[in-house]
Amino acid sequence: MSNKKNSTLWEGVLSPILIILVTGSLSLAILDKENRPAYFDIAKVAIGYAFGSMRLQGNSKNTDELDNSD
């Protein structure tokens, strides 16, 4: 049960952190033309991590439902 509590905590914390990271990186990319590729790479990694995290959470929820049905 504590595992479910931790996952909901991370879901609530991850979204604002992701939004801040992506918007900050994109705004810095607009301002600093020399380091623009680095800021875009940071934004791409953050977005990729978020999609991967959501996919893993969806898979774990499906697995939990299958385990509980037995």
Side-chain angles (χ1 to χ4, degrees), residues 7-56:
S7 68
T8 57
L9 175 68
W10 279 111
E11 288 175 13
V13 172
L14 186 62
S15 296
I17 292 173
L18 179 69
I19 291 170
I20 291 169
L21 181 64
V22 171
T23 56
S25 295
L26 293 178
S27 62
L28 286 172
I30 291 170
L31 296 175
D32 188 9
K33 293 181 181 180
E34 289 181 15
N35 294 321
R36 188 172 283 173
Y39 296 127
F40 283 132
D41 287 341
I42 292 170
K44 285 190 287 188
V45 168
I47 292 170
Y49 175 78
F51 284 129
S53 173
M54 286 188 297
R55 186 173 181 192
L56 286 176

Side-chain angles (χ1 to χ4, degrees), residues 1-10:
M1 184 149 124
S2 64
N3 190 18
K4 288 182 182 181
K5 194 174 199 179
N6 287 338
S7 68
T8 57
L9 175 68
W10 279 111

